[in-house]
Amino acid sequence: MNDKNFKLICGLLKQQAGIVLEDDKGYLAENRLAPVARQFGHADVDALVANIVATKSRDAVQAVVEAMETNETYFFRDVDPFAHFEQIYMPARLEEASDRKQMRIWSAAASTGQEAYSLAMILDRNKMKLNGWRTSLLATDISESALQRAKSGEYSQFEVQRGLPIRLLLNNFDQKGERWQIKSALRKSVRFEQFNLLNDPSTLGRFDVIFCRNVLMYFDSATRREVFDRLASVLSPEGRIYLGGAESPVGVSDAFIADESGRGVYRLVTPGDSETQALAS
């Protein structure tokens, strides 16, 4: 792929998905996009780019974005965010919101579904405590192919071994030959929907919990600020947002402040936080 076309790919990724591709990633783009070029009947990536420029093919653009996405994920990734949600946030929420009895959770950039199903397993094993509550779990991703995999709830032996204790595997999956599938009830408890984090999330409703982990680090600071503002607009006043270990709104957005009860956990800034926010910045 020549330099001009690499720059066109970089611009397309930034515009369509917020992904910032560094200048030394030309080889990565070439390797990932070569199969896309063949899929659309082109001899090489340069021909693919030329066709996209000429036709503005939405299918080809979507295929390029999906090929360049990093879909690294696994069950209960990094453990601590899930432990905080179950052991700290949820008990407090059950007590504070006992009159409303509603909890909406959003797994943003859900990829192939492991994060969303990890949350579903937590809700299921706490169903007695949540008796009488309305809980909903929405999982979104920009990639339609990733969402199709997530909806199937079917994973390889390698995928279920990553982060999933054997007890949870046996309790929540059915074995299908060499693969494992999330039990039907858990699959039905998660609603999967295609959504781009660069778009307005108000159509999705308001949420008490947002998991948006290990995706914002691929955006530049201006895009991260915009996404943080959008996430803040749909987070309830008592809600929490969980970010990846390499992500933080500090110095990027004034909408959130760290929740001292857990690493990578943030809440909305309130008027009383102005002095604390100033010190943190």
Side-chain angles (χ1 to χ4, degrees):
M1 176 170 48
N2 63 47
D3 289 343
K4 178 183 176 181
N5 284 336
F6 176 65
K7 290 178 181 178
L8 286 171
I9 288 293
C10 289
L12 183 149
L13 292 172
K14 175 69 165 56
Q15 179 188 48
Q16 297 292 322
I19 299 171
V20 175
L21 202 60
E22 298 174 357
D23 292 341
D24 62 349
K25 299 298 184 184
Y27 72 94
L28 176 66
E30 182 84 37
N31 289 338
R32 290 192 179 182
L33 295 181
V36 178
R38 292 193 295 270
Q39 175 189 343
F40 284 85
H42 302 297
D44 53 32
V45 177
D46 288 320
L48 170 68
V49 176
N51 182 261
I52 289 175
V53 171
T55 67
K56 305 295 189 297
S57 168
R58 294 183 64 182
D59 289 343
V61 169
Q62 180 68 18
V64 166
V65 171
E66 294 197 10
M68 293 305 300
E69 273 197 310
T70 300
N71 286 318
E72 170 71 6
T73 185
Y74 50 91
F75 292 99
F76 295 95
R77 184 176 183 178
D78 302 328
V79 180
D80 288 349
F82 299 94
H84 182 280
F85 168 67
E86 182 174 18
Q87 299 169 16
I88 297 178
Y89 177 78
M90 189 186 297
R93 186 70 179 157
L94 291 176
E95 183 175 346
E96 294 169 1
S98 57
D99 55 336
R100 189 161 66 96
K101 292 190 175 182
Q102 177 176 318
M103 182 160 33
R104 298 194 72 229
I105 305 166
W106 178 17
S107 171
S111 187
T112 47
Q114 286 93 321
E115 178 180 89
Y117 287 130
S118 296
L119 292 166
M121 284 183 257
I122 290 175
L123 293 177
D124 183 65
R125 70 186 178 203
N126 286 277
K127 59 188 174 184
M128 295 303 295
K129 296 177 183 178
L130 291 165
N131 186 36
W133 278 63
R134 288 178 297 158
T135 61
S136 64
L137 179 50
L138 172 68
T140 67
D141 200 88
I142 192 175
S143 170
E144 183 60 39
S145 60
L147 289 173
Q148 289 303 318
R149 281 208 59 211
K151 290 176 183 178
S152 75
E154 195 171 307
Y155 300 96
S156 68
Q157 185 70 40
F158 173 74
E159 288 172 317
V160 297
Q161 286 176 334
R162 298 188 71 193
L164 193 63
I166 186 64
R167 177 178 54 82
L168 290 182
L169 173 62
L170 297 177
N171 287 346
N172 296 290
F173 288 75
D174 294 317
Q175 190 166 11
K176 300 179 65 178
E178 296 181 354
R179 299 181 66 81
W180 296 81
Q181 186 175 39
I182 292 276
K183 289 183 181 295
S184 175
L186 282 180
R187 293 202 308 277
K188 292 177 181 178
S189 73
V190 183
R191 179 166 64 92
F192 290 98
E193 184 174 324
Q194 189 174 30
F195 182 78
N196 189 332
L197 287 173
L198 301 187
N199 295 338
D200 178 9
S202 62
T203 56
L204 304 177
R206 185 171 290 271
F207 297 91
D208 302 293
V209 174
I210 300 175
F211 272 64
C212 186
R213 309 187 66 245
N214 306 301
V215 61
L216 297 178
M217 61 190 196
Y218 296 109
F219 299 169
D220 62 22
S221 58
T223 306
R224 285 200 299 271
R225 184 181 303 110
E226 293 171 1
V227 174
F228 276 130
D229 288 344
R230 294 187 190 103
L231 295 176
S233 72
V234 294
L235 185 66
S236 68
E238 306 82 14
R240 294 294 184 272
I241 182 169
Y242 293 81
L243 302 177
E247 299 166 329
S248 170
V250 175
V252 179
S253 169
D254 295 328
F256 295 99
I257 191 169
D259 181 336
E260 296 182 355
S261 66
R263 182 173 176 269
V265 187
Y266 297 85
R267 60 179 175 80
L268 292 175
V269 169
T270 64
D273 293 321
S274 57
E275 182 177 347
T276 303
Q277 185 78 350
L279 290 173
S281 302

